[in-house]
Amino acid sequence: ERTTTVPYVVGVHDTFASVSMRHKMTETELLQLNQLKRRQVRPGDVLLVYVERSNAPTEDDLRKQVCDLRPC
C-alpha cells in the first residue's frame, strides 16, 4: 500500500477525532504517525495526515515489472 502524507495545521474548532475522520484515518493511525501519546491537539499544532492511500501500482512499479520480464 502506498501512502502519502502532508502537514495539517489544527484549526480552532478541530478535535483529534475530527482531524482523523476528515482524513479517513483511525485515531490510532494518527497517534502513531505523529508519535503522540495523547489524543489532544491545540490550534496551531501541526500533524501529519494521510492524503492518498492506494494499492495501485506506481509508474516505477509498472516499469520494474516490465524490466523484470525483458531487458530495459
Side-chain angles (χ1 to χ4, degrees), residues 37-52:
K37 294 180 182 173
R38 292 181 283 161
R39 290 171 165 83
Q40 184 178 351
V41 292
R42 293 185 222 163
D45 286 350
V46 178
L47 300 174
L48 288 177
V49 295
Y50 295 147
V51 290
E52 179 182 336

Side-chain angles (χ1 to χ4, degrees), residues 8-68:
Y8 175 79
V9 179
V10 176
V12 175
H13 299 290
D14 283 333
T15 64
F16 193 86
S18 71
V19 172
S20 65
M21 287 190 316
R22 179 177 298 121
H23 296 281
K24 298 180 175 86
M25 300 174 69
T26 66
E27 290 187 18
T28 301
E29 287 174 323
L30 192 56
L31 282 170
Q32 290 175 345
L33 181 62
N34 290 281
Q35 300 177 343
L36 300 173
K37 294 180 182 173
R38 292 181 283 161
R39 290 171 165 83
Q40 184 178 351
V41 292
R42 293 185 222 163
D45 286 350
V46 178
L47 300 174
L48 288 177
V49 295
Y50 295 147
V51 290
E52 179 182 336
R53 300 169 106 181
S54 172
N55 289 325
T58 64
E59 186 177 330
D60 288 338
D61 294 334
L62 294 173
R63 187 176 295 114
K64 183 179 181 319
Q65 289 175 5
V66 170
C67 289
D68 287 345

